[in-house]
Amino acid sequence: MKKSYLWIIGVIVVVVLGALGLHALSSQKSKTSTITVGSMGSDYAIWQHIAKSEDAKKLGLKIKVKQVTDGVALNKATAEGNIDVNAFQSWTYYLAFNKQSKVGKLAALGTTYMEPMGIYSKKYKKVSEIPDGATIAVANNPSQQARGLILLQKAGLIKLKKNFSSALGSINDIKSNPKKLKFKQIDDTTGPRVLHTVDAVLISNTVALEGHLHVLTDSIYHENVDQSTKDNINILATAKKNKNNAAYKKLVTLYHKKNIQNYIKDKYYGTKVNVAKPLSYLEK
């Protein structure tokens, strides 16, 4: 009788432990099944659409999209694990953050798109019309400022030092400034608002769209989408420890689905050019 009693107790213990184990696995699955994607501006709107899409369901992805209005804060939150994946930054912005970050490093998951940066002006219709001593507004964050200066060089307004960094180069690296242009450093999200107060502004396309500006029709000069601008291709990024997360990598596949791309093209007038390239393309 005693042995039978002990046997029953043992069975009960096994069943209870098994149930607790299944509950733990269920809780873990529930915890990891939702991917939090941090984004901003038009990218935030895109990922809201993607999260609700049939393509996301087919890939078994449950996505929660969180809006963060500051890029550095968003990268820090991602590096610290408070955001799973972020979708907002160019390759150069990513490199600059990783070089300067003290809170942790990021890892790129894959490419998304490239959109041209433009030079905008309410006073002049051509770059050649910009006069000596004109004031040009440039972003105060490293990657966007460097990108803008490269564009000014392509436009023939300045010349940069030979070793100019596309990630961290600054106005201090201008070698030649024949028009004696003055540079006003601004929060890059305010570009459309300061357009009336300076001679010209360098504005990224995401910010331009938010300010109801179209880079292909409203800028007086803009980047060409080619290999020379590959550092400006946008990526999905996660904390370095999550670089091999299979579910996170599915987000890259999801972004490039035909239905998703048709939506983006229609909504943003072709200004977000799809780039489905391996990371090795950027690392060369």
Side-chain angles (χ1 to χ4, degrees), residues 114-133:
M114 153 67 183
E115 53 186 345
M117 173 181 275
I119 302 174
Y120 295 80
S121 177
K122 286 293 184 182
K123 297 180 180 179
Y124 310 105
K125 294 182 178 180
K126 298 179 181 179
V127 169
S128 58
E129 295 176 359
I130 295 176
D132 292 356

Side-chain angles (χ1 to χ4, degrees), residues 66-280:
K66 185 174 182 179
Q67 186 170 31
V68 180
T69 57
D70 179 81
V72 174
L74 179 48
N75 267 346
K76 285 182 178 179
T78 306
E80 292 171 343
N82 297 318
I83 298 287
D84 296 320
V85 176
N86 69 44
F88 79 99
Q89 66 192 313
S90 68
W91 179 248
T92 49
Y93 193 102
Y94 158 82
L95 292 177
F97 175 84
N98 268 355
K99 188 169 184 177
Q100 297 177 329
S101 175
K102 295 179 181 179
V103 299
K105 303 298 182 183
L106 298 174
L109 292 167
T111 63
T112 51
Y113 65 86
M114 153 67 183
E115 53 186 345
M117 173 181 275
I119 302 174
Y120 295 80
S121 177
K122 286 293 184 182
K123 297 180 180 179
Y124 310 105
K125 294 182 178 180
K126 298 179 181 179
V127 169
S128 58
E129 295 176 359
I130 295 176
D132 292 356
T135 298
I136 311 293
V138 297
N140 60 9
N141 74 68
S143 68
Q144 290 295 82
Q145 184 171 130
R147 181 176 179 178
L149 292 173
I150 290 171
L151 182 57
L152 290 175
Q153 178 173 253
K154 287 184 178 180
L157 292 172
I158 60 172
K159 287 186 179 180
L160 301 169
K161 293 178 181 178
K162 189 175 181 180
N163 61 346
F164 184 83
S165 168
S166 62
L168 296 172
S170 72
I171 54 177
N172 295 323
D173 298 314
I174 296 173
K175 180 180 179 180
S176 175
N177 182 10
K179 284 182 173 284
K180 294 182 173 54
L181 300 173
K182 298 173 184 177
F183 297 96
K184 180 178 181 179
Q185 298 187 58
I186 62 169
D187 179 333
D188 61 331
T189 63
T190 66
R193 298 202 294 273
V194 305
L195 195 51
H196 294 277
T197 66
V198 293
D199 295 291
V201 188
L202 278 296
I203 307 177
S204 67
N205 189 56
T206 296
V207 175
L209 286 172
E210 291 170 2
H212 307 290
L213 298 169
H214 191 300
V215 65
L216 303 180
T217 58
D218 295 324
S219 69
I220 61 172
Y221 191 86
H222 58 78
E223 292 171 333
N224 292 314
V225 182
D226 55 34
Q227 288 189 343
S228 70
T229 56
K230 68 180 182 179
D231 285 346
N232 303 324
I233 292 171
N234 276 40
I235 62 167
L236 296 182
T238 187
K240 190 174 182 179
K241 65 180 181 179
N242 297 324
K243 66 179 181 179
N244 294 318
N245 186 298
Y248 295 179
K249 287 184 176 182
K250 283 184 180 180
L251 293 175
V252 180
T253 301
L254 176 59
Y255 180 85
H256 295 295
K257 289 287 186 179
K258 185 177 180 180
N259 290 335
I260 301 298
Q261 284 305 306
N262 286 340
Y263 165 82
I264 294 171
K265 184 178 180 180
D266 290 343
K267 187 170 179 64
Y268 298 103
Y269 315 104
T271 64
K272 293 179 182 286
V273 181
N274 187 35
V275 179
K277 296 283 188 181
L279 290 174
S280 58

Side-chain angles (χ1 to χ4, degrees), residues 20-83:
L20 289 174
L22 287 172
H23 176 72
L25 287 172
S26 177
S27 298
Q28 183 178 12
K29 183 178 179 182
S30 176
K31 184 177 179 181
T32 57
S33 62
T34 299
I35 302 172
T36 300
V37 175
S39 196
M40 62 177 68
S42 57
D43 287 321
Y44 172 71
I46 287 171
W47 280 95
Q48 280 189 308
H49 172 81
I50 291 174
K52 299 173 185 176
S53 70
E54 286 298 318
D55 287 302
K57 291 179 182 178
K58 289 176 182 177
L59 286 176
L61 297 173
K62 186 176 180 182
I63 303 167
K64 177 183 177 182
V65 189
K66 185 174 182 179
Q67 186 170 31
V68 180
T69 57
D70 179 81
V72 174
L74 179 48
N75 267 346
K76 285 182 178 179
T78 306
E80 292 171 343
N82 297 318
I83 298 287

